[in-house]
Amino acid sequence: MGGVDLDAVRFGVLGPLRAELAGRTVGLGGLRQRAVLAVLLIARGRMVSAERITSQVWEGSPPSSPTTLHAYISQLRRALEPERSPGAPPRLLVREGTGYALRTDPSAVDAERFADLAVAGRRALDGGRPGPAAELLTEALELWRGPAYADFDGAGFAFTEAARLEDLRAAAYEDRLAATIDLGRHAAAVGELEALVAEQPLRERGWELLVLALYRSGRQGDAITALRTVRQRLADELGIDPGLALRDLESAVLAQDPRLDPPPARSAGTIGATPAATRPRTAPVVPAQRSAAAPVGNLPFALSSLVGRTDDIAAVDRLLAEYRLVTLTGPGGVGKTRLALETARGRTDSADGPWLVELAGLTSPELLPATIGAAVGIPGVSSAEDLAAVLAGRRLLLVLDNCEHLLGEVTTLTGVLLSRCGGLRVLSTSREALGVEGEAVYEVRPLDPDGDGTELFRKRAAAVLPAWSPDLDDLDRIPGLCAGLDGIPLAIELAAAQCRMLSIGQIADALENRFDVLVDGPRDLPARHRALESAIAWSHRLLEPEERRLFHRLSVFAAGFDLDAAGAVGGQTPVLPPLSALVRKSLVGVEPGTAPRRYRLLETLRQYALRELDSDDLARTQQRHRAWVLAQAESAERRLHGPQAAVLLGRLTREQPEFRAAFASALAAGDGDYALRLGGALYWFWYRMGHIAEGLSWMSKAFAAAPHAEPAVRARARLAVSGLSYLAGQPAQAYEAVVLAEQEAREAGDLMAEASARVYQTHFGVLAGIPVDAPALARSAVELARRAGEDWLVAEALMVQGMLARVLGDLPTAATVLAEAVTTADSCGHDWAAGSSAWAAMKTACDRGDGRRALEVAAGILDALDRHQDVTSRLVLIHTAAHALVLTGQAEQAALLMGGVEAVGRRVGFSPELMDPLDGPREAAAVREALPQDKYERLVARGRELSLAELTTLLVGLLKTR
């Protein structure tokens, strides 16, 4: 059978779409035919249904017939596999179930090669090796031939992927220039950096690098000019100040901080690596006077000065000293949240915390325990009882913000926690009291219009218009204006924000007219509420039509969003001008220090905007929001098993409120199929980050809402149910789900999902005690994974096969297979599979009594854990390492580690012994039995005093002294 060598096919998307076969350009046909190929390339080896291809390629046009799509597929096959024999099955562009898939190695696509090189370059840069970093990043950037997916500018199917790649390109370019500066070629970098900031003036890192390069080139005056330029640019276009990094750099330049000086010249022989002590700083410079100690808890830093409230803070503080539950009540915008945060910051009687739990974006009451647990560092909590069990030994202050929309659920949960956790105090904000026994209620009053209200207006007006100097008439009118706003801080700040556009007289006149319109509003609303709504409506009335439309549509976001998200969901092009106007007018806030910039609506403003959005526009906007959310999830999911996993997991965590909002709106609209697709895409995120109960809850609702979903959709969603059930300690349910997933994937022709399901049938079946031919099933899983063509899946299949061999007592085979799993995982950057396989290899070495080898393996795992900040994986590693230390005669150090693992695990609701019932108890017993009981207990008690960071430092020290 003739055919093409698949390794000889190369695809380019970093510019106009192109394909090469053995170095020769391949003709890909017209625009729509090339769009079909682009859709398959974006899917990254996954099957895409024919219906979905058609809807995306013919977006905004009458749908094509299946015959046309089939003709395009046939022509692409002839172009890409010209030597395929007649009648022979295609090997590259294959039919799977109801759709098609492009079976090509990721390295055959220039975008994948670029991303891998960019990640490797960044790691080299962060590791103090600017020479290799510059080479890797230059190689990565040379792959670009123009804008990503240039043929499809404006096409919805390519928007998210193209934006992602362009953002990576900008970051890689900045990294390459940072490496140039680190190599001492700062003068040469200036020209490129000046062009960069001219092209992308709102990316602050480019300005940081330009300032540093100018300073090191002996051009301190030009560096200061650049700092002034970026400050003015950000103020004019976004109405914000520079981020923390630029402000710190400005301070360092003005002080001529010696840390900004270039390092001593290095010889060519040492150019690849820079000692940490002398490495030049291309990261932000932190002033020496700042404390390096991280604050306890998670309270955000105040972004503006507090005006007044001194007496209120003292009163609430006294109540907290006497009562374990204090609730701040009052109308929206009166300042309940700010008062709660300022009071909490002043508390010093909590052993940990204070911890802020923001409830405004939570729409599913059943997720309340999980939301509180995640905020205080306890992932995976699913009930009030679980949360109370973990918090029972802690002494902390919990700040529950915006409880009114979940009043019943918050009341019940707070009552359970306070009755079972003696060291807990709760400070809540709500528009009405919780009604819990023993609750103290403090009503937050408006500001005095003649005193603090006037001072607040003057300070906020001066912030938006620094040159503003009120005359006597203005000073006389401000107290009356504040009185008209009923002293509500939010209303006063909204009014003050208009000083950039209007005089005090104009503001007062506009406000007076607005009150006239609302004077006959609902009389059952309190006067302060009517005044607050008047202030918001008045600011809303001043918006231009395109600004008002965007303001309404942005209300579907549950939390923050970036510029691309605003454009995709808002449905307006260009989106920057109206969004900038909303920022200037204080209707949209900027989250400081974010790059790219992220924005947010205050909850009161979001609710107002949402109410103003008519039902038809709301439905269309929610649909765009769901499409954007799914694109984000699917784009990340395709790369979560590779070298970008750590960055992507952080990004998905940030977007979690949007996932929840999309689930809720899809289920409300009866779109269960969408919910299943989104759950399938988020499975690995849920699995890695410990969102077990939440994932299972959404999947249960999605399956109930879509009883007749397509097999391909059900299969991937079923994989999520299977994996999360396993983590929940339900192996029988996990096995049942994974068997169904394989059947549905086979029916759909989804080879990737079928292989994924087969891989874990062995593991779950053994754990559940199901009579299966485990060795044969594991071998077939490896074969099927190889057919699927994804190295990360092959690594996981080998990992499961090696674990099974160890359980069956075949240690030589286990060691060989696990070593192959690690090698395969390392080759594709799948840190989780490499670490899990290496952990199993550690246990295999311990089975042989080779503790020294087990510790050598442990040393290799720690680096990946540092990148991913995976607490539970770190704890199981330390637990197994303690067993290995006993085997090497270091039982006392092992007992210290065991004590620390026990204490840290209790604080986050995790136990290695329960998670690993086959080996965890045996490892603990080995340490316990290696020492006299009294000595063991003393050492474990000392270990319980160690933090996770201290445990890691201790283990690293032990590994170095082996």
Side-chain angles (χ1 to χ4, degrees):
M1 181 177 68
V4 67
D5 180 4
L6 299 187
D7 292 336
V9 183
R10 289 284 185 267
F11 296 96
V13 300
L14 302 181
L17 180 65
R18 73 178 185 186
E20 293 181 352
L21 179 59
R24 299 190 307 275
T25 301
V26 175
L28 297 176
L31 182 62
R32 283 224 163 94
Q33 183 170 304
R34 284 182 284 127
V36 171
L37 179 60
V39 168
L40 295 172
L41 282 166
I42 290 171
R44 200 172 179 266
R46 298 292 178 83
M47 185 271 287
V48 185
S49 69
E51 179 183 1
R52 188 174 177 190
I53 295 174
T54 301
S55 67
Q56 291 186 343
V57 172
W58 277 268
E59 179 184 15
S61 302
S64 166
S65 69
T67 304
T68 302
L69 175 60
H70 181 71
Y72 284 165
I73 294 292
S74 298
Q75 292 171 32
L76 287 170
R77 283 171 172 166
R78 285 195 295 271
L80 297 173
E81 297 185 65
E83 299 177 5
R84 181 166 57 93
S85 302
R91 300 170 57 211
L92 186 63
L93 206 171
V94 301
R95 177 80 181 189
E96 284 192 5
T98 60
Y100 300 91
L102 192 66
R103 291 289 179 222
T104 185
D105 188 89
S107 63
V109 184
D110 59 359
E112 300 299 329
R113 296 198 304 278
F114 162 73
D116 290 344
L117 287 167
V119 169
R122 182 57 185 262
R123 286 183 179 176
L125 182 64
D126 291 342
R129 297 180 292 118
E135 294 175 2
L136 289 165
L137 292 162
T138 299
E139 183 181 354
L141 292 166
E142 286 175 349
L143 294 172
W144 286 76
R145 299 168 286 107
Y149 292 94
D151 318 61
F152 313 108
D153 182 30
F157 72 84
F159 177 84
T160 298
E161 181 66 3
R164 182 187 72 85
L165 290 170
E166 292 291 349
D167 190 55
L168 288 177
R169 179 188 192 181
Y173 188 45
E174 290 166 349
D175 286 343
R176 200 263 295 165
L177 290 169
T180 300
I181 296 173
D182 275 6
L183 288 168
R185 299 198 291 267
H186 24 78
V190 168
E192 287 188 78
L193 285 164
E194 288 176 335
L196 175 64
V197 298
E199 181 181 352
Q200 299 180 346
L202 302 183
R203 287 183 68 94
E204 293 188 24
R205 191 176 181 221
W207 288 99
E208 294 170 24
L209 294 172
L210 174 60
V211 169
L212 186 61
L214 288 168
Y215 185 90
R216 289 186 176 175
S217 301
R219 299 167 60 183
Q220 182 178 355
D222 291 336
I224 293 173
T225 299
L227 287 163
R228 290 173 178 166
T229 300
V230 64
R231 179 180 289 276
Q232 187 63 45
R233 193 70 179 265
L234 292 172
D236 290 344
E237 299 198 21
L238 294 178
I240 61 173
D241 291 328
L244 178 62
L246 265 174
R247 296 200 304 271
D248 286 344
L249 184 58
E250 183 176 20
S251 299
V253 169
L254 293 173
Q256 299 187 29
D257 193 314
R259 287 174 297 170
L260 294 181
D261 294 340
R266 290 169 287 151
S267 67
T270 63
I271 202 168
T274 307
T278 62
R279 189 179 308 145
R281 294 291 302 267
T282 52
V285 174
V286 180
Q289 66 270 23
R290 294 191 178 183
S291 170
V296 177
N298 69 341
L299 297 187
F301 291 105
L303 301 181
S304 60
S305 60
L306 180 68
V307 176
R309 299 300 190 195
T310 303
D311 293 340
D312 293 307
I313 293 173
V316 175
D317 195 63
R318 287 194 298 271
L319 288 174
L320 275 173
E322 184 176 357
Y323 300 91
R324 294 177 55 218
L325 169 62
V326 177
T327 299
L328 308 184
T329 63
V334 78
K336 301 183 295 294
T337 298
R338 184 65 186 269
L339 177 57
L341 292 176
E342 293 294 338
T343 304
R345 288 189 188 101
R347 301 287 297 181
T348 59
D349 57 348
S350 295
D352 64 13
W355 299 97
L356 171 64
V357 185
E358 296 175 304
L359 301 179
L362 184 63
T363 57
S364 301
E366 65 270 22
L367 297 180
L368 181 60
T371 300
I372 295 176
V376 300
I378 311 171
V381 170
S382 59
S383 69
E385 288 73 20
D386 292 343
L387 185 59
V390 179
L391 292 180
R394 295 173 64 170
R395 186 163 171 259
L396 72 161
L397 173 64
L398 198 61
V399 181
L400 302 180
D401 190 33
N402 287 98
C403 301
E404 54 269 3
H405 64 301
L406 300 170
L407 195 63
E409 291 77 14
V410 173
T411 296
T412 301
L413 179 58
T414 303
V416 170
L417 294 180
L418 289 172
S419 65
R420 301 187 185 181
C421 307
L424 174 67
R425 291 181 185 273
V426 177
L427 178 59
S428 66
T429 71
S430 177
R431 295 189 183 181
E432 59 179 300
L434 301 188
V436 177
E437 183 180 359
E439 175 187 31
V441 179
Y442 185 85
E443 182 181 2
V444 182
R445 306 289 298 180
L447 298 175
D448 175 11
D450 294 321
D452 290 335
T454 295
E455 180 64 16
L456 176 63
F457 185 96
R458 293 180 61 178
K459 283 197 171 185
R460 298 300 183 258
V464 299
L465 199 64
W468 178 62
S469 177
D471 58 27
L472 292 178
D473 286 339
D474 289 340
L475 293 175
D476 287 339
R477 300 193 72 168
I478 289 173
L481 190 155
C482 293
L485 294 171
D486 284 339
I488 300 294
L490 175 59
I492 292 172
E493 291 183 336
L494 286 169
Q498 304 304 322
C499 282
R500 178 177 292 175
M501 297 172 55
L502 303 173
S503 68
I504 298 296
Q506 288 175 308
I507 293 173
D509 291 340
L511 187 60
E512 184 178 354
N513 293 336
R514 191 59 182 170
F515 285 150
D516 289 341
V517 173
L518 294 179
V519 69
D520 294 323
R523 294 185 179 275
D524 58 335
L525 290 176
R528 289 188 302 271
H529 194 186
R530 293 200 300 271
L532 176 59
E533 290 197 351
S534 296
I536 299 172
W538 163 76
S539 296
H540 175 259
R541 175 67 64 89
L542 295 176
L543 297 176
E544 296 294 332
E546 67 274 13
E547 298 167 4
R548 185 179 299 116
R549 185 163 52 249
L550 181 62
F551 177 53
H552 294 167
R553 293 173 177 176
L554 293 178
S555 66
V556 304
F557 284 105
F561 52 90
D562 61 17
L563 186 63
D564 290 336
V569 176
Q572 294 176 226
T573 304
V575 74
L576 182 58
L579 181 59
S580 298
L582 292 173
V583 171
R584 290 195 304 271
K585 297 173 183 179
S586 299
L587 289 168
V588 172
V590 179
E591 297 182 5
T594 52
R597 286 293 192 200
R598 288 180 64 81
Y599 311 90
R600 180 185 294 265
L601 272 69
L602 293 174
E603 179 59 20
T604 303
L605 295 172
R606 191 187 74 82
Q607 290 183 9
Y608 180 90
L610 187 61
R611 191 180 61 218
E612 291 293 309
L613 191 58
D614 71 72
S615 58
D616 290 341
D617 200 359
L618 173 60
R620 291 190 297 269
T621 304
Q622 286 180 328
Q623 189 171 26
R624 287 193 298 270
H625 179 263
R626 291 197 294 271
W628 172 78
V629 164
L630 184 61
Q632 297 298 307
E634 289 184 339
S635 176
E637 187 262 346
R638 290 190 290 268
R639 295 165 179 80
L640 281 176
H641 303 276
Q644 302 173 54
V647 172
L648 290 171
L649 287 171
R651 184 179 304 165
L652 292 175
T653 296
R654 184 183 63 199
E655 302 292 359
Q656 192 169 14
E658 306 309 325
F659 301 143
R660 291 169 173 168
F663 272 119
S665 74
L667 293 172
D671 193 352
D673 285 64
Y674 173 91
L676 289 176
R677 282 184 61 193
L678 182 57
L682 290 177
Y683 157 48
W684 195 238
F685 163 67
W686 284 335
Y687 188 103
R688 291 295 307 276
M689 305 309 292
H691 300 303
I692 304 164
E694 176 174 355
L696 288 173
S697 175
W698 286 126
M699 288 292 89
S700 175
K701 294 175 182 177
F703 272 108
H708 306 298
E710 292 293 325
V713 176
R714 291 202 310 271
R716 292 186 178 275
R718 201 86 69 182
L719 284 173
V721 173
S722 175
L724 295 174
S725 297
Y726 157 67
L727 287 183
Q730 302 168 350
Q733 291 90 326
Y735 179 76
E736 178 184 355
V738 83
V739 169
L740 285 174
E742 182 178 2
Q743 295 170 357
E744 290 163 342
R746 190 182 304 114
E747 180 183 353
D750 189 340
L751 182 61
M752 188 74 67
E754 181 184 356
S756 297
R758 179 78 61 83
V759 164
Y760 287 100
Q761 276 189 51
T762 308
H763 191 50
F764 299 162
V766 169
L767 288 177
I770 306 296
V772 296
D773 185 353
L777 192 60
R779 286 194 299 272
S780 70
V782 174
E783 294 169 1
L784 195 59
R786 293 191 192 280
R787 280 179 50 202
E790 289 283 0
D791 286 345
W792 67 263
L793 188 55
V794 174
E796 292 187 15
L798 290 168
M799 174 191 73
V800 171
Q801 186 180 36
M803 289 177 171
L804 175 65
R806 174 180 170 268
V807 170
L808 297 177
D810 187 355
L811 299 187
T813 297
T816 301
V817 175
L818 289 171
E820 184 182 357
V822 172
T823 300
T824 304
D826 285 340
S827 71
C828 62
H830 191 8
D831 288 347
W832 179 85
S836 297
S837 301
W839 175 54
M842 277 184 69
K843 297 198 285 188
T844 302
C846 290
D847 292 340
R848 296 195 305 266
D850 191 352
R852 182 173 295 276
R853 174 56 187 160
L855 293 175
E856 289 175 354
V857 176
I861 301 175
L862 280 174
D863 180 56
L865 291 181
D866 285 339
R867 289 197 298 272
H868 291 270
Q869 299 299 313
D870 192 329
V871 175
T872 55
S873 293
R874 192 185 301 268
L875 290 175
V876 296
L877 170 67
I878 297 173
H879 199 273
T880 301
H883 182 201
L885 288 169
V886 169
L887 296 175
T888 59
Q890 302 176 79
E892 293 184 6
Q893 291 86 346
L896 284 172
L897 293 177
M898 281 296 188
V901 168
E902 175 193 332
V904 175
R906 186 183 300 115
R907 288 197 290 270
V908 300
F910 177 77
S911 168
E913 294 182 46
L914 295 178
M915 174 266 187
D916 184 18
L918 294 179
D919 297 304
R922 184 166 60 88
E923 293 170 350
V927 178
R928 188 168 54 250
E929 294 167 3
L931 294 167
Q933 182 177 352
D934 59 341
K935 189 171 187 178
Y936 170 80
E937 291 177 352
R938 285 199 308 274
L939 290 167
V940 167
R942 284 173 50 196
R944 292 190 186 108
E945 299 174 0
L946 300 176
S947 66
L948 182 58
E950 290 168 334
L951 281 173
T952 303
T953 301
L954 174 59
L955 179 58
V956 169
L958 292 170
L959 294 175
K960 288 181 178 179
T961 57
R962 286 183 285 110

